[in-house]
Amino acid sequence: MSAILKSKLKVALIQLAGSAPDKNANLTRAATFVAKAMKEQPDTKLVVLPECFNSPYAVDKFREYAEVITPEAPSVKALSEIARQWKIILVGGSIPELEPTSDKLYNTSIIFNEKGELIGTHRKAHLFDVDIPNGITFKESTTLSAGNKNTLIDEPSIGKFGVGICYDLRFPELAMVNARKGAFAMIYPSAFNTVTGPMHWHLLARSRSIDNEIYTLLCSPARNLNSSYHAYGHSLVVNPKGEVIAEAGEGEEIIYAELDPEFIKEVRQAIPVIFQRRFDIYGDVSKFEV
């Protein structure tokens, strides 16, 4: 069984406080925390930021903070420089994106390689439209449009990993597709809240790992009770056995974990579900992707 992860990989998840109204201040704070991570753990190769780290997470603010994704866009330029400076693969959380030809808004993750090159984007495919009695009502579709593609990043230095955003975690198909195409992990910048977080945060992350025998990484904003949206926190790294191997609390924090290709191999040899699926009975979703 060949390794799907090239070698052991140190990762850092940066749990920043709920974003301030000042975009430049948010970008500077992200850069400061990445620098802190690299000084604490200089062998870190993959860094993840939270969902909507550069703007308030509010449907009436997305357009104000949205950027057209070009090399000169403020967030793209800042994250590119961070990745280049520290020679890391950077999953830049997500930012509000404006698509100029259609005037549509998206919740979009931007991913950079060690040279600071933009190597992929993921537009949130499943919009967070919920109405939980005595809990929370939130409708991203008020201002956002849904993305229409799966995202699999093939980075030669480490291997393949999939990217989703927050509510995408609840739909197992994206992780299935990416795992069957050779991903060693699914990475979800995510802003679950204090209602849905206690219900399903850990359960969903562990399920995506167990289903596909891969690592699952969730990077949340820190909880800010002064903002209109209270993030759950608890950024996580789950291994292919479904065990939480790193977890943040509720405040600003950096967590680290090491992903091990031998552990993926060990789990898959012990419980070989990837070889035992019955596609003669049910379809393989990875074959039906648009």
Side-chain angles (χ1 to χ4, degrees):
M1 183 187 300
S2 61
I4 59 173
L5 174 61
K6 298 296 178 67
S7 60
K8 289 185 178 180
L9 178 68
K10 176 67 71 64
V11 302
L13 276 57
I14 298 182
Q15 186 166 285
L16 294 170
S19 298
D22 186 335
K23 182 191 290 187
N24 289 331
N26 294 329
L27 294 171
T28 298
R29 191 158 187 78
T32 299
F33 268 76
V34 173
K36 182 175 186 289
M38 298 310 297
K39 289 171 184 175
E40 290 180 350
Q41 301 279 351
D43 57 340
T44 298
K45 294 298 182 186
L46 174 65
V47 177
V48 186
L49 297 174
E51 181 181 18
C52 282
F53 79 95
N54 74 338
S55 74
Y57 185 52
V59 294
D60 61 346
K61 295 292 185 181
F62 291 143
R63 184 167 291 275
E64 176 184 346
Y65 286 78
E67 301 176 21
V68 179
I69 295 180
T70 68
E72 295 306 313
S75 299
V76 176
K77 190 173 183 179
L79 295 185
S80 172
E81 174 58 23
I82 292 169
R84 186 199 62 78
Q85 177 184 357
W86 296 108
K87 296 180 173 58
I88 55 173
I89 297 160
L90 179 61
V91 178
S94 76
I95 66 172
E97 177 201 356
L98 173 64
E99 209 293 312
T101 58
S102 65
D103 200 42
K104 289 181 178 180
L105 298 176
Y106 297 92
N107 185 349
T108 302
S109 183
I110 47 181
I111 303 103
F112 300 84
N113 67 13
E114 297 170 351
K115 297 178 182 179
E117 297 167 334
L118 183 66
I119 58 172
T121 61
H122 176 74
R123 290 172 170 172
K124 190 173 189 177
H126 304 89
L127 298 182
F128 183 54
D129 284 7
V130 300
D131 187 4
I132 301 173
N134 303 312
I136 184 172
T137 298
F138 200 94
K139 295 190 182 301
E140 280 188 321
S141 65
T142 302
T143 54
L144 294 178
S145 295
N148 62 1
K149 71 177 182 69
N150 174 59
T151 302
L152 179 65
I153 304 298
D154 188 356
E155 174 49 44
S157 63
I158 60 172
K160 298 176 182 179
F161 60 90
V163 178
I165 299 174
C166 199
Y167 203 55
D168 287 340
L169 175 65
R170 290 186 178 270
F171 301 84
E173 290 82 2
L174 293 183
M176 290 180 187
V177 169
N178 286 324
R180 292 174 194 175
K181 293 186 174 183
F184 64 82
M186 280 297 298
I187 301 175
Y188 299 92
S190 302
F192 272 45
N193 55 72
T194 51
V195 176
T196 60
M199 291 166 58
H200 296 141
W201 179 256
H202 294 79
L203 179 61
L204 287 166
R206 296 181 67 201
S207 296
R208 298 295 80 79
S209 280
I210 293 169
D211 286 347
N212 302 291
E213 297 179 328
I214 58 174
Y215 286 92
T216 301
L217 286 63
L218 309 186
C219 189
S220 172
R223 190 173 305 176
N224 180 359
L225 296 180
N226 293 320
S227 68
S228 61
Y229 186 89
H230 299 160
Y232 183 55
H234 294 279
S235 296
L236 295 174
V237 179
V238 181
N239 71 20
K241 202 174 180 179
E243 300 166 330
V244 177
I245 59 173
E247 180 176 355
E250 297 169 2
E252 284 194 315
E253 187 177 347
I254 304 170
I255 61 169
Y256 306 93
E258 184 175 76
L259 313 189
D260 186 351
E262 287 302 312
F263 191 74
I264 299 174
K265 184 177 178 180
E266 176 185 318
V267 170
R268 292 183 172 192
Q269 286 177 334
I271 308 175
V273 295
I274 61 170
F275 303 118
Q276 297 171 328
R277 294 190 174 98
R278 294 291 307 277
F279 295 136
D280 57 322
I281 299 175
Y282 44 79
D284 179 357
V285 293
S286 69
K287 302 299 184 185
F288 297 98
E289 188 184 6
V290 176

